[in-house]
Amino acid sequence: MKRFTVLIIENDPRLSQSIVDFLDSSTYEVQAVQDAAPAIDYVRRQGLPSIALVGIQLPSMSGFEIANRLKARADLPVLFLLSCDPTDEIVDGLKTYADDFVVAPFTMQELQTRTAMVLARVPVIDYDSEPIITVDENLGIDFAHNRIMVGGKNVGLTPTESILLHVLVRNAPRVVQNRTLLSRAWTAEEVFEDTLRVHMHRLRRKLESDSHHPHYIRTERGVGYRFTQRPPGAPPSEEGD
């Protein structure tokens, strides 16, 4: 059975420890930190977790700011831990960064259920948590540092390019619809398919030896895009995908 990795970013050590103690170790591998800097350090060293559980008030910055920094690397699911009913300002932040949230007092059973529901909605696969994803002998992807390795050379990605690539790789080789890519890469603003096409063109120029005849990212006209290569270690595509 696959074990999901959970990164807890919460400055209340008692709450963090309660979550660590409760989550089933056969299903979840849990790491708890109390501020933003160790969270970023964890991602850089260990790769992306399957999900981040984030407190709103952290010592050095808000939970929304650290969520923004994590989501600038990839389409990482985030569940917020709220200590009180959300204000209008917090609601705006939740709309932008949250895949779900819980409000204290909450039970560990509720938190586990909501965590499982988020993970069920978002494809999460074993190779997603590797620091560097080896696609083939020509291409490696390092989401933690917003870069790809093409033919042995490091090429930087913008946050938007990194998110788009992450969604495509996570779903490979299935087609990802345009509306899904738009909603995951631009959570706080309304953009249209012309903008998506521009960013996909720029991403292809970095990935492909010939962007006019792409090998990795194919366009399904009128539908969306798909990443053609399933990295080694990825589970087989489900029947009907």
Side-chain angles (χ1 to χ4, degrees), residues 11 26 43 58 73 77 82 94 102 110-111 116 132 138 151 156 161 187 205 212 227:
N11 68 341
S26 66
V43 170
L58 301 172
R73 291 166 165 79
L82 306 185
L94 294 173
V102 292
E110 178 187 2
L111 178 61
I132 297 177
N138 178 65
E161 291 166 352
T187 58
R205 291 182 62 183
H212 296 290
F227 194 83

Short mmCIF file of all heavy atoms in Angstrom, two decimals, residues 11 26 43 58 73 77 82 94 102 110-111 116 132 138 151 156 161 187 205 212 227:
data_model
loop_
_atom_site.label_atom_id
_atom_site.label_comp_id
_atom_site.label_asym_id
_atom_site.label_seq_id
_atom_site.Cartn_x
_atom_site.Cartn_y
_atom_site.Cartn_z
N ASN A 11 3.05 26.01 14.34
CA ASN A 11 3.92 26.43 15.44
C ASN A 11 3.47 25.94 16.80
O ASN A 11 4.14 26.19 17.81
CB ASN A 11 4.08 27.96 15.45
CG ASN A 11 2.79 28.67 15.83
OD1 ASN A 11 1.71 28.09 15.74
ND2 ASN A 11 2.91 29.93 16.23
N SER A 26 1.05 3.32 8.61
CA SER A 26 1.06 2.45 7.44
C SER A 26 0.56 3.17 6.20
O SER A 26 0.78 2.72 5.07
CB SER A 26 0.19 1.21 7.69
OG SER A 26 -1.18 1.57 7.83
N VAL A 43 11.57 20.49 1.78
CA VAL A 43 11.20 20.26 0.38
C VAL A 43 12.44 20.20 -0.50
O VAL A 43 12.55 19.37 -1.40
CB VAL A 43 10.22 21.36 -0.10
CG1 VAL A 43 10.01 21.28 -1.60
CG2 VAL A 43 8.89 21.22 0.64
N LEU A 58 2.31 31.61 11.70
CA LEU A 58 3.63 31.03 11.91
C LEU A 58 4.57 32.12 12.41
O LEU A 58 4.30 33.31 12.23
CB LEU A 58 4.16 30.43 10.61
CG LEU A 58 3.30 29.31 9.99
CD1 LEU A 58 3.82 28.94 8.62
CD2 LEU A 58 3.28 28.09 10.90
N ARG A 73 6.41 26.19 -6.55
CA ARG A 73 7.26 25.08 -7.02
C ARG A 73 6.47 24.02 -7.77
O ARG A 73 6.98 23.38 -8.68
CB ARG A 73 7.99 24.46 -5.83
CG ARG A 73 9.05 25.37 -5.22
CD ARG A 73 9.52 24.88 -3.86
NE ARG A 73 10.75 25.54 -3.48
CZ ARG A 73 10.82 26.78 -2.98
NH1 ARG A 73 9.71 27.47 -2.81
NH2 ARG A 73 11.98 27.31 -2.66
N PRO A 77 -1.02 20.10 -2.91
CA PRO A 77 -2.25 20.26 -2.13
C PRO A 77 -1.96 20.81 -0.73
O PRO A 77 -1.02 20.37 -0.07
CB PRO A 77 -2.80 18.83 -2.04
CG PRO A 77 -2.14 18.07 -3.13
CD PRO A 77 -0.79 18.70 -3.30
N LEU A 82 -7.10 26.00 11.02
CA LEU A 82 -7.55 27.30 11.54
C LEU A 82 -7.87 27.18 13.02
O LEU A 82 -8.49 26.21 13.46
CB LEU A 82 -8.80 27.78 10.79
CG LEU A 82 -8.72 27.86 9.26
CD1 LEU A 82 -10.00 28.47 8.71
CD2 LEU A 82 -7.52 28.66 8.82
N LEU A 94 -8.01 31.50 1.72
CA LEU A 94 -8.41 30.11 1.52
C LEU A 94 -8.84 29.86 0.08
O LEU A 94 -8.53 28.82 -0.50
CB LEU A 94 -9.54 29.75 2.48
CG LEU A 94 -9.19 29.74 3.97
CD1 LEU A 94 -10.45 29.53 4.80
CD2 LEU A 94 -8.15 28.68 4.29
N VAL A 102 -9.71 22.96 8.11
CA VAL A 102 -10.47 22.57 9.29
C VAL A 102 -10.40 23.73 10.28
O VAL A 102 -9.43 24.49 10.30
CB VAL A 102 -9.95 21.27 9.95
CG1 VAL A 102 -10.19 20.07 9.05
CG2 VAL A 102 -8.46 21.40 10.29
N GLU A 110 -11.68 13.95 12.00
CA GLU A 110 -12.10 14.87 10.95
C GLU A 110 -10.92 15.27 10.09
O GLU A 110 -11.01 15.31 8.85
CB GLU A 110 -12.74 16.12 11.56
CG GLU A 110 -13.15 17.15 10.50
CD GLU A 110 -13.63 18.47 11.09
OE1 GLU A 110 -13.61 18.62 12.33
OE2 GLU A 110 -14.03 19.34 10.29
N LEU A 111 -9.79 15.58 10.72
CA LEU A 111 -8.60 15.99 9.97
C LEU A 111 -8.14 14.87 9.05
O LEU A 111 -7.81 15.10 7.88
CB LEU A 111 -7.49 16.38 10.94
CG LEU A 111 -6.16 16.77 10.28
CD1 LEU A 111 -6.33 17.99 9.38
CD2 LEU A 111 -5.10 17.04 11.35
N ALA A 116 -7.59 12.66 3.64
CA ALA A 116 -7.81 11.57 2.70
C ALA A 116 -8.65 12.02 1.52
O ALA A 116 -8.41 11.59 0.37
CB ALA A 116 -8.47 10.39 3.41
N ILE A 132 14.46 14.58 -7.27
CA ILE A 132 14.58 14.77 -8.70
C ILE A 132 13.86 13.63 -9.41
O ILE A 132 14.13 12.46 -9.15
CB ILE A 132 16.06 14.83 -9.16
CG1 ILE A 132 16.76 16.03 -8.51
CG2 ILE A 132 16.15 14.92 -10.68
CD1 ILE A 132 18.23 16.14 -8.85
N ASN A 138 17.29 11.74 -21.01
CA ASN A 138 17.50 13.11 -21.45
C ASN A 138 16.92 14.15 -20.48
O ASN A 138 17.41 15.28 -20.41
CB ASN A 138 16.85 13.32 -22.82
CG ASN A 138 16.99 14.74 -23.32
OD1 ASN A 138 18.10 15.22 -23.58
ND2 ASN A 138 15.88 15.45 -23.48
N GLY A 151 19.40 17.16 -21.23
CA GLY A 151 20.69 16.82 -21.83
C GLY A 151 21.87 17.19 -20.94
O GLY A 151 22.94 17.56 -21.43
N GLY A 156 16.11 26.78 -15.84
CA GLY A 156 15.17 27.27 -14.85
C GLY A 156 13.75 27.36 -15.38
O GLY A 156 13.52 27.58 -16.57
N GLU A 161 5.30 27.87 -15.07
CA GLU A 161 5.76 26.74 -15.86
C GLU A 161 5.92 25.50 -14.99
O GLU A 161 5.57 24.38 -15.40
CB GLU A 161 7.09 27.08 -16.53
CG GLU A 161 6.97 28.12 -17.62
CD GLU A 161 8.32 28.69 -18.05
OE1 GLU A 161 9.34 28.40 -17.40
OE2 GLU A 161 8.33 29.45 -19.04
N THR A 187 -4.90 30.32 -9.65
CA THR A 187 -5.98 30.15 -8.68
C THR A 187 -6.61 31.47 -8.27
O THR A 187 -7.77 31.50 -7.83
CB THR A 187 -5.46 29.44 -7.42
OG1 THR A 187 -4.38 30.22 -6.86
CG2 THR A 187 -4.95 28.04 -7.75
N ARG A 205 9.62 25.21 -25.29
CA ARG A 205 10.92 25.66 -25.80
C ARG A 205 12.05 25.27 -24.86
O ARG A 205 13.19 25.07 -25.29
CB ARG A 205 10.91 27.17 -26.01
CG ARG A 205 10.01 27.61 -27.17
CD ARG A 205 10.06 29.11 -27.38
NE ARG A 205 11.41 29.58 -27.73
CZ ARG A 205 11.73 30.85 -27.91
NH1 ARG A 205 10.81 31.79 -27.74
NH2 ARG A 205 12.96 31.20 -28.24
N HIS A 212 8.42 22.63 -32.25
CA HIS A 212 7.38 22.51 -33.26
C HIS A 212 6.97 21.05 -33.49
O HIS A 212 5.92 20.78 -34.07
CB HIS A 212 7.83 23.15 -34.57
CG HIS A 212 8.07 24.62 -34.48
ND1 HIS A 212 7.05 25.53 -34.31
CD2 HIS A 212 9.23 25.34 -34.49
CE1 HIS A 212 7.56 26.76 -34.24
NE2 HIS A 212 8.88 26.67 -34.35
N PHE A 227 1.30 15.01 -21.07
CA PHE A 227 2.71 14.67 -20.98
C PHE A 227 2.84 13.20 -21.37
O PHE A 227 2.19 12.33 -20.77
CB PHE A 227 3.22 14.90 -19.56
CG PHE A 227 4.71 14.90 -19.44
CD1 PHE A 227 5.44 16.04 -19.73
CD2 PHE A 227 5.39 13.77 -19.03
CE1 PHE A 227 6.83 16.05 -19.62
CE2 PHE A 227 6.77 13.76 -18.92
CZ PHE A 227 7.49 14.91 -19.22
#
